[in-house]
Amino acid sequence: MMHFMLLFSRQGKLRLQKWYTVMVDKEKKKIARELVQIVLSRQAKMCSFVEWRDLKIIYKRFASLYFCCAIDEQDNELLTLEIIHRYVELLDKYFGNVCELDIIFNFEKAYFILDEFLIGGEMQDTSKLSVHKAVEEADMMQETMEEYLAKPTF
């Protein structure tokens, strides 16, 4: 099971975090700070798997963002890399070539796409098309609701 997913920049700025296990905020901040430091200190040619505490940390860099996941020791690292890659593909499909600014200014959409893809730390749907369709339907519903609320009432 995935315990959390973190997205952070090359400068170490946390851009998105999703926790699938219950922890106090102080512990979350400590973990995020420690993992950002560990991942950023590693060289580009090093393995993307790190054993940390009783978890495995899987990370991948795409453009200026690092995608970092923590999984149980018995979970499959390559499957987690595939989950990260699939999430990046979903973001690319939605935003057109996703960049750090897309995550900063549209973080609610990034969270929504992640929630459509993963539930409780487990992959919900492997189909990019069905996830993208669900996101488009939610966008349409939101636009319709905004239009409805913008109309004057007499």
Side-chain angles (χ1 to χ4, degrees), residues 74-92:
Q74 69 272 11
D75 287 344
N76 189 337
E77 302 93 346
L78 297 178
L79 180 61
T80 306
L81 273 178
E82 183 61 30
I83 288 171
I84 292 171
H85 186 74
R86 181 63 50 102
Y87 182 51
V88 171
E89 286 178 335
L90 289 166
L91 291 173
D92 275 343

Side-chain angles (χ1 to χ4, degrees), residues 10-63:
R10 285 186 291 170
Q11 292 77 31
K13 190 82 168 158
L14 198 59
R15 298 300 181 196
L16 184 135
Q17 57 182 331
K18 185 71 175 183
W19 298 83
Y20 298 108
T21 54
V22 179
M23 289 183 211
V24 293
D25 285 342
K26 190 174 182 179
E27 183 69 15
K28 289 179 183 178
K29 288 178 184 176
K30 181 181 175 189
I31 289 171
R33 191 172 42 250
E34 187 175 339
L35 286 177
V36 165
Q37 187 178 31
I38 289 170
V39 171
L40 290 178
S41 67
R42 294 175 62 85
Q43 300 199 0
K45 296 290 183 187
M46 295 178 87
C47 178
S48 296
F49 310 147
V50 178
E51 289 190 12
W52 177 77
R53 296 186 186 177
D54 59 340
L55 301 172
K56 282 191 232 174
I57 305 302
I58 315 300
Y59 68 92
K60 183 76 174 146
R61 180 178 164 200
F62 290 94

